[in-house]
Amino acid sequence: MRPEDLLCPTPQGLCCPAGDFFIDPLRPVERALVTHGHSDHARAGHGAVLATAETLDIMRLRCGEDCAGTMQAAAYGETVEINGVRITFHPAGHILGAAQICVEWKGLRMVVSGDYKTAPDPTCAAFAPVPCDVFITEATFGLPVFRFGDARAETAKLLHSVALFPDRAHLVGCYPLGKAQRMIALLREAGYDRPIFLHGAMEALTRYYAARGLDIGALRPAREARRDELAGAVTICPPSALQELWARRFPDPVSVFASGWMRVRARARQRGIALPLVISDHADWEGLTATIAATGASEVWVTHGEEDGLVRWCEMRGLRARPLRLVGYGEEEDEEEDQGAAAENGAAAAP
Amino acid sequence: MNRFAALLDRLAFEHARNAKLRQMADYFRTTPDPERGWALAALTGALSFRHAKPGLIRALVAERVDPVLFGLSYDYVGDLSETVALLWPEGPSPRAGAEKAQNAPRLSEVIKALATLGKAELPGQLSRWLDALDETGRWALLKLVTGGLRIGVSARLAKTAVAALGDKDPDEIELVWPALEPPYVDLFAWVEGRADRPAVRDPAPFRPVMLAHAIEEAELAALSPADYIAEWKWDGIRVQAVAGRRADGAPVARLYSRTGEDISKSFPDLVAALTLPGAIDGELLIVRDGRVQSFHVLQQRLNRKSVTPNLLAEFPAHLRAYDLLADGEEDLRALPFAERRKRLKAFVSRLAQPRVDLSPCVPFSTWSELMAARADPAAAGAGADAEAIEGVMLKRRDAAYLPGRPKGWWWKWKRDPFTVDAVLMYAQRGHGKRSSFYSDYTFGLWTDGENGDELVPVGKAYFGFTDEELLQIDRFVRRNTVNRFGPVREVVHERDQGLVLEIAFEGLQRSNRHRSGVAMRFPRIARLRWDKPPREADRLETLERLLPPDA
């Protein structure tokens, strides 16, 4: 049996004909397995969705209670059978509820990584590689220039800047789901105990993380803060808000952006970022390559990102590798930002 | 080296002057000698060693990284030093930070080694350093050794940060600077109040300059013409020409910019003419066949990296003297201006160098006479030099030479700027406080195109407007965007739709770098012409008529 008989790439996403389901489908389908709650992976309108309980909660929060016909929760490590295909969710370490999905059928084991990272993150369950025959990996940062250091050192940079510029507001651009909450956790872990101000787009999701046990300390909506309170304080907002009208209410703001893209200086410069923080929820080059090795897979498929670099690495090690070139993933930046802007503008409409 | 690298990294992203100052002052405050002194030397351009070629760096990385992965990475990153810094293998324990930091070379070691290393030893030493540094450290090292340290910090700004350590005036640092050498341990000791001021043994020191305030016609009525001496305001660069003798009797001569930077190397022809001990304040100009050339001509000499015999012959540097701060060992700065002027006249004639002459006075007895002279310098005695005149200077006869910009003694009364009505074509977001505003504007004028009249961009302006006007233009840009290119928005510019800007500028020159073929000096927005439809804006031909005949 070829791996393509178990999972095959289609324009709608990865399809499992034997189980009659799709994984992270890009368009509405009858039955979907969803790796995590980012909008490019978790879309509304499917007939039935199987995902972790957290991912389902996040989908309801973002797309409404009726965003899917039926929802079924899968716990990490628990095996569910659909039409004879055995399915197990494993932690992906990407955001709260993120999972790798292992699909087994007739002795063939394939793992779909979804988005993942191997670096520690107090806001979600830790990633662990899953042994398999075929590993289907993301490659957002699939070039050897992407090597992310310790997120705590990046957080220290932010705190140093806050100490150095006590009269300036620090606006930290973070994707509203995952990065924002991790940034808060990193600040708290570093001993920062002052209130952190939040853009409206982060509020509901951050409350959800707190309800799931994350220690977030004192948070306040930025829109209710006086200008002088924002000086010397940290405010977390969607990256797009850094350059929008919203940012004008802040005193002499320092634009900060926490993202793996900040590894490349030109990326930070293009966005007018004064303080880039290399903090990513994706695996870096070493994370990607070490994971491929740890799965023991003899064949690797690359879903999205910088496929060419990772495929080259596999070939150099004698692994079969193919880029799937699925169109539609990795756009979370744009979509998350649109959602973010809408949330705050709605919230800000009330004086 | 890692700390210095972190500073460079922060400075490279920071746009605001005050923030850069704060970053540097923080670094100097928390970094011990001699490391901070070497950093100061690097920031002020006081280091000299032979730079490594990019080919050497490529060869080093080729030994360690697959060429295909290197190629993909370089394509993505777009900068060789940065690509190599990011790609450099981290060794067996990639994230063992603490142990690694111990092996990291200090900036002082790197600089000393670079000054003495032979060509054959450089690659080996470079790779040992790269092995021991973190990513930012590798990036800064590669920028340093290839001579590509571009972080937007002037020598003056770095010195200002040092001054901030001890509440000193930056001019005080300039005064002692020529006597100092890296790593400036005595400078830091003095600034931090742990030692006396370093002795200024410099026989040709810089003296902080006196600057003028701008004045408008209406303000003149309150002043009495008899109290003032008027001179032309020359459109060159303000310099201080100083000569003296070292303890051993050897002559020393230096040319300083108005901020105290030693620019002697760029003007050996003029420095050679400074043969009398003393300090002249004056304007550096290019004079050909007895005629002062426009600023545009001077710029062609300023922009050159190396001073060649051709350059010296084609652009002869000249000093037009307007004040004398020292005559031999005698400090004249406390004397009244009228007295100094007499001494200057005698000094220049004693010096007897054709490259140095006296800036003439403009005779007048009423403000209207002076106004007439300012409007037409050629007829008021400046003759063919009028093109290099940008107004008149007024100096009180009894003014001592005071450093800084003291009020009430010196005035500059600039010629009225040129203006042109142009159409806003593109807008770009600004930086820092203006980061959310569209505050950089590209404007154009009408010209004959293939399909009738079309707008051609002629310049860019990003100041001249009030905060209120900035809000208005920003709103206009957001509502009238027809296209987006990254951070740039194209704004509607049709015959009947668009925004006309009255642009003021100081002068014009031909330029191959602009599609319009002209470049403005100091363009800024004088007024927003909401009342004017774009079709009534000016034409490129109007602008071209303002070009000087020799340019």
Side-chain angles (χ1 to χ4, degrees):
Chain A
M1 185 183 68
R2 299 177 316 144
E4 285 82 356
D5 296 331
L6 177 52
L7 284 177
C8 76
T10 73
Q12 278 120 296
L14 277 173
C15 173
C16 176
D20 193 19
F21 59 80
F22 286 82
I23 298 177
D24 287 354
L26 295 151
R27 270 163 244 159
V29 297
E30 262 318 296
R31 179 179 282 280
L33 274 53
V34 173
T35 58
H36 68 283
H38 276 142
S39 49
D40 50 341
H41 294 260
R43 293 173 194 261
H46 303 309
V49 172
L50 177 64
T52 63
E54 290 86 355
T55 298
L56 295 176
D57 286 341
I58 289 167
M59 288 179 72
R60 286 191 202 97
L61 263 176
R62 308 191 93 184
C63 310
E65 286 294 329
D66 51 359
C67 64
T70 61
M71 287 182 161
Q72 183 188 346
Y76 289 134
E78 173 197 341
T79 300
V80 180
E81 237 185 74
I82 300 180
N83 303 333
V85 179
R86 290 164 57 80
I87 297 155
T88 318
F89 284 62
H90 298 272
H94 176 56
I95 59 168
L96 184 60
Q100 314 174 64
I101 298 177
C102 175
V103 178
E104 264 183 293
W105 189 55
K106 296 189 178 169
L108 181 70
R109 240 166 109 87
M110 298 176 77
V111 170
V112 180
S113 75
D115 289 338
Y116 68 103
K117 72 169 171 291
T118 53
D121 177 350
T123 68
C124 60
F127 175 89
V130 181
C132 56
D133 303 303
V134 179
F135 185 50
I136 305 176
T137 181
E138 62 136 328
T140 306
F141 295 111
L143 282 174
V145 291
F146 291 108
R147 207 156 38 189
F148 307 142
D150 190 339
R152 286 173 300 191
E154 299 296 297
T155 310
K157 274 191 206 169
L158 171 60
L159 291 176
H160 181 247
S161 179
V162 171
L164 192 60
F165 299 109
D167 41 358
R168 302 178 71 185
H170 282 69
L171 290 185
V172 185
C174 291
Y175 303 133
L177 170 57
K179 185 65 61 60
Q181 296 75 28
R182 184 173 173 213
M183 195 69 237
I184 294 169
L186 282 165
L187 284 164
R188 296 307 183 208
E189 192 185 283
Y192 184 80
D193 55 6
R194 298 183 11 222
I196 294 172
F197 293 90
L198 276 195
H199 183 282
M202 325 287 194
E203 286 175 21
L205 289 161
T206 306
R207 271 198 303 272
Y208 175 70
Y209 267 65
R212 300 291 304 191
L214 181 68
D215 176 18
I216 50 175
L219 299 182
R220 292 183 49 194
R223 63 177 178 280
E224 288 170 11
R226 291 193 320 270
R227 196 178 158 85
D228 60 303
E229 291 178 303
L230 296 166
V234 173
T235 301
I236 297 193
C237 63
S240 61
L242 292 174
Q243 289 177 320
E244 284 311 319
L245 303 163
W246 178 83
R248 289 187 190 169
R249 77 183 79 165
F250 292 85
D252 197 7
V254 180
S255 342
V256 188
F257 188 8
S259 164
W261 297 115
M262 295 296 99
R263 183 75 279 181
V264 175
R265 289 175 172 79
R267 284 280 190 135
R269 241 174 272 123
Q270 280 157 6
R271 300 187 71 132
I273 300 299
L275 179 58
L277 302 180
V278 186
I279 300 178
S280 177
D281 284 334
H282 293 272
D284 66 358
W285 175 254
E286 287 174 9
L288 293 169
T289 53
T291 300
I292 291 173
T295 59
S298 56
E299 182 164 344
V300 176
W301 297 358
V302 184
T303 53
H304 62 284
E306 297 295 322
E307 303 96 319
D308 296 346
L310 203 56
V311 167
R312 167 75 184 174
W313 183 88
C314 292
E315 286 166 353
M316 284 164 65
R317 265 151 198 78
L319 300 173
R320 273 191 62 185
R322 61 178 283 206
L324 299 187
R325 306 202 192 281
L326 293 179
V327 177
Y329 298 123
E331 289 165 6
E332 77 200 35
E333 181 169 339
D334 300 334
E335 296 195 13
E336 301 285 311
E337 292 194 9
D338 288 346
Q339 293 195 3
E344 179 73 358
N345 293 340
Chain B
M1 180 82 206
N2 280 336
R3 293 214 51 200
F4 174 64
L7 171 70
L8 289 188
D9 188 46
R10 299 295 313 109
L11 289 174
F13 289 110
E14 197 57 75
H15 301 293
R17 182 179 176 277
N18 281 339
K20 286 185 191 198
L21 277 176
R22 197 92 70 91
Q23 301 278 8
M24 284 189 283
D26 180 56
Y27 170 84
F28 291 134
R29 196 172 289 119
T30 55
T31 307
D33 291 318
E35 297 307 311
R36 56 180 173 173
W38 290 111
L40 179 60
L43 291 168
T44 53
L47 296 175
S48 61
F49 46 81
R50 204 183 22 206
H51 293 139
K53 297 256 180 345
L56 165 68
I57 315 283
R58 278 173 183 272
L60 284 180
V61 77
E63 292 169 15
R64 288 161 177 82
V65 179
D66 169 53
V68 175
L69 286 176
F70 173 77
L72 288 169
S73 299
Y74 187 26
D75 270 358
Y76 188 88
V77 175
D79 177 285
L80 181 65
S81 295
E82 187 175 349
T83 310
V84 173
L86 289 167
L87 273 179
W88 194 263
E90 291 263 4
S93 56
R95 278 159 190 155
E99 183 199 335
K100 191 164 170 164
Q102 297 218 315
N103 299 329
R106 290 199 303 268
L107 178 63
S108 53
E109 285 172 46
V110 171
I111 288 171
K112 279 180 209 155
L114 285 174
T116 54
L117 272 185
K119 211 174 173 181
E121 301 160 297
L122 185 58
Q125 180 58 268
L126 212 47
S127 42
R128 280 191 296 280
W129 284 333
L130 289 169
D131 284 339
L133 288 164
D134 64 16
E135 189 279 331
T136 311
R138 292 190 293 265
W139 168 77
L141 175 71
L142 291 170
K143 289 287 178 191
L144 190 70
V145 300
T146 55
L149 209 64
R150 277 181 295 271
I151 43 164
V153 168
S154 66
R156 172 73 175 186
L157 199 64
K159 292 174 200 168
T160 307
V162 174
L165 290 186
D167 259 341
K168 296 269 188 282
D169 192 291
D171 282 336
E172 289 183 81
I173 309 276
E174 297 290 3
L175 279 178
V176 297
W177 187 259
L180 305 174
E181 288 197 346
Y184 310 110
V185 175
D186 46 351
L187 171 69
F188 285 106
W190 166 57
V191 169
E192 291 174 341
R194 293 180 284 109
D196 288 339
R197 180 175 142 135
V200 182
R201 296 172 299 271
D202 184 26
F206 171 72
R207 294 163 177 86
V209 299
M210 179 165 178
L211 300 167
H213 283 273
I215 196 165
E216 302 286 331
E217 198 180 317
E219 299 167 80
L220 287 171
L223 309 179
S224 162
D227 291 343
Y228 288 87
I229 295 172
E231 296 168 36
W232 299 121
K233 183 172 179 356
W234 297 100
D235 193 6
I237 58 170
R238 178 89 179 267
V239 292
Q240 196 175 104
V242 191
R245 285 187 190 287
R246 279 210 297 260
D248 61 3
V252 180
R254 287 206 193 99
L255 200 62
Y256 295 101
S257 74
R258 61 178 236 178
T259 56
E261 260 172 83
D262 187 340
I263 53 171
S264 311
K265 274 188 203 141
S266 306
F267 301 96
D269 45 346
L270 182 53
V271 171
L274 307 175
T275 50
L276 264 188
I280 299 172
D281 184 3
E283 198 85 0
L284 188 142
L285 301 163
I286 299 296
V287 174
R288 283 184 192 146
D289 307 322
R291 224 192 109 187
V292 181
Q293 304 295 303
S294 71
F295 188 81
H296 166 61
V297 177
L298 173 56
Q299 249 180 345
Q300 296 173 40
R301 171 147 179 186
L302 296 178
N303 294 341
R304 300 297 172 81
K305 244 188 178 167
S306 56
V307 182
T308 60
N310 266 348
L311 190 70
L312 293 179
E314 207 184 331
F315 302 97
H318 188 95
L319 177 64
R320 192 141 283 188
Y322 39 67
D323 214 325
L324 191 66
L325 314 186
D327 187 350
E329 295 288 297
E330 190 191 351
D331 189 340
L332 306 183
R333 285 175 290 178
L335 295 180
F337 176 62
E339 196 59 36
R340 292 202 308 277
R341 171 102 199 159
K342 275 186 208 147
R343 299 283 298 264
L344 175 70
K345 203 169 168 183
F347 188 89
V348 170
S349 80
R350 237 183 322 139
L351 181 62
Q353 289 281 0
R355 282 182 189 275
V356 182
D357 67 3
L358 190 67
S359 177
C361 291
V362 183
F364 74 103
S365 51
T366 64
W367 293 128
S368 50
E369 272 178 47
L370 187 62
M371 203 182 307
R374 167 176 163 272
D376 190 0
D385 290 350
E387 223 171 74
I389 288 171
E390 51 167 4
V392 292
M393 295 295 300
L394 286 169
K395 298 178 179 175
R396 265 183 79 119
R397 292 175 184 278
D398 57 349
Y401 194 90
L402 305 165
R405 207 185 289 274
K407 190 114 192 174
W409 300 105
W410 283 14
W411 303 100
K412 55 183 176 191
W413 188 20
K414 282 191 138 183
R415 182 189 54 203
D416 294 329
F418 302 106
T419 62
V420 70
D421 285 334
V423 183
L424 175 63
M425 298 176 72
Y426 304 93
Q428 190 170 354
R429 282 194 182 117
H431 289 305
K433 285 182 193 180
R434 287 174 167 183
S435 66
S436 70
F437 294 97
Y438 285 91
S439 62
D440 295 10
Y441 311 114
T442 301
F443 49 83
L445 296 177
W446 294 106
T447 189
D448 295 328
E450 280 172 20
N451 310 309
D453 279 354
E454 62 174 32
L455 284 165
V456 55
V458 294
K460 234 180 150 178
Y462 39 88
F463 64 100
F465 37 80
T466 63
D467 289 352
E468 177 55 31
E469 285 171 332
L470 172 61
L471 282 175
Q472 291 168 6
I473 309 176
D474 180 74
R475 208 172 304 138
F476 176 83
V477 170
R478 288 172 190 276
R479 289 181 186 167
N480 293 279
T481 299
V482 293
N483 237 326
R484 292 171 195 234
F485 312 94
V488 177
R489 287 193 184 202
E490 181 175 1
V491 180
V492 62
H493 47 84
E494 305 288 327
R495 286 179 58 77
D496 295 302
Q497 242 191 317
L499 174 57
V500 176
L501 306 169
E502 184 180 313
I503 304 291
F505 57 100
E506 293 302 311
L508 204 62
Q509 61 196 49
R510 287 200 195 282
S511 163
N512 304 325
R513 303 216 323 261
H514 297 74
R515 187 151 74 87
S516 61
V518 296
M520 294 175 171
R521 269 195 82 201
F522 265 142
R524 68 255 182 202
I525 291 174
R527 270 199 297 168
L528 308 184
R529 298 297 306 265
W530 298 108
D531 55 312
K532 210 168 191 180
R535 64 173 182 280
E536 290 176 23
D538 283 313
R539 302 187 62 84
L540 183 59
E541 297 86 81
T542 316
L543 203 59
E544 284 167 341
R545 276 198 290 275
L546 295 173
L547 279 168
D550 64 336

